Amino acid sequence: MIEKDEIVKTSILEAATKVFQKWGLHKTTMEDIAHAAGKGKSTLYYYFKSKEEIFHTIATQEITNITRLAEEAMSKTAKAKDKLQTYISMVSQEIHERTVIYSILVGEITQNTQLIDRIQKNFNETETRLLEKVLQLGVETGEFKSLSNENIAKAATLLVTIIRSFEVDLIVNKQIQDVGAYSDLLSGILLNGLKS
């Protein structure tokens, strides 16, 4: 039964992603999702309380997948600098390729502030924890200057803010096409500053 439930939930989420991509969160109805999934509305309500819960589930899965892929790539490098560069590159590329959810997140900010804030907070916290580990490693190995634990936490928060701004302004809003070149430049500036 659990396997069947997971299959049904997956089909609902896949259909909902397409509907959200077409109409956005605000204009989409549960009826639209049910129709796209080939299910009755009662089936949707059995698995999800609302379209917002469906969207939250999709966004959380996306965040989890992106973080997992970044962590896997980072685990293949030993140096903190390489891990940070890999992280920026991987996350930027993945968000560029998965712009559906991120475009909706940006577009819906004024209409669904509580939901968007909750999703954004989840992603920020996940990224911050991951970057704190990278910074801690860099301090321990001498790759980065010595920072207190408090300043490591602050630096991780700043990095997340910078990276998120890059993602939103340049990737989601489609200001650039060559994401790799820009993410490499961003990594270089963060790691080396602008010194010659």
Side-chain angles (χ1 to χ4, degrees):
M1 183 68 174
I2 293 174
E3 190 175 314
K4 182 183 178 236
D5 283 348
E6 286 305 312
I7 291 168
V8 173
K9 282 177 79 171
T10 299
S11 71
I12 291 169
L13 295 172
E14 287 172 356
T17 300
K18 292 175 185 170
V19 176
F20 289 139
Q21 181 179 12
K22 185 175 181 181
W23 300 109
L25 176 59
H26 183 66
K27 291 181 182 176
T28 296
T29 65
M30 287 291 270
E31 192 170 322
D32 295 330
I33 297 169
H35 178 72
K39 310 285 181 203
K41 274 174 52 175
S42 60
T43 302
L44 258 67
Y45 283 111
Y46 176 78
Y47 293 101
F48 300 99
K49 294 175 191 168
S50 64
K51 66 179 182 179
E52 287 80 12
E53 184 181 352
I54 294 172
F55 186 80
H56 185 269
T57 302
I58 293 167
T60 301
Q61 285 179 351
E62 289 284 281
I63 291 165
T64 302
N65 288 337
I66 288 170
T67 306
R68 180 183 49 77
L69 289 170
E71 285 182 296
E72 284 174 9
M74 289 164 65
S75 71
K76 296 175 184 172
T77 62
K79 292 185 175 182
K81 286 183 177 183
D82 294 338
K83 288 180 185 294
L84 182 59
Q85 187 167 11
T86 298
Y87 181 81
I88 292 169
S89 177
M90 281 292 299
V91 170
S92 300
Q93 195 60 49
E94 286 299 314
I95 287 177
H96 180 66
E97 290 173 9
R98 303 170 189 240
T99 52
V100 174
I101 295 301
Y102 299 96
S103 297
I104 293 169
L105 282 171
V106 171
E108 301 280 340
I109 282 174
T110 58
Q111 296 175 343
N112 295 284
T113 53
Q114 288 182 332
L115 174 63
I116 303 307
D117 285 349
R118 204 165 77 228
I119 293 167
Q120 189 71 34
K121 184 179 178 198
N122 180 22
F123 198 12
N124 287 351
E125 287 173 355
T126 301
E127 278 196 298
T128 301
R129 279 193 304 272
L130 193 56
L131 291 177
E132 279 180 16
K133 289 179 187 174
V134 173
L135 293 174
Q136 186 69 49
L137 173 66
V139 168
E140 288 170 4
T141 60
E143 292 176 71
F144 301 151
K145 70 178 187 176
S146 182
L147 295 169
S148 66
N149 286 340
E150 182 182 346
N151 282 338
I152 285 174
K154 288 178 182 176
T157 299
L158 284 171
L159 284 173
V160 168
T161 302
I162 292 165
I163 294 167
R164 184 76 69 250
S165 178
F166 165 66
E167 292 161 357
V168 171
D169 288 346
L170 299 180
I171 300 172
V172 175
N173 293 334
K174 301 198 185 295
Q175 299 286 326
I176 61 167
Q177 294 303 316
D178 190 357
V179 175
Y182 275 82
S183 63
D184 288 347
L185 182 59
L186 175 60
S187 297
I189 292 169
L190 290 173
L191 290 167
N192 305 310
L194 294 171
K195 61 187 177 188
S196 57

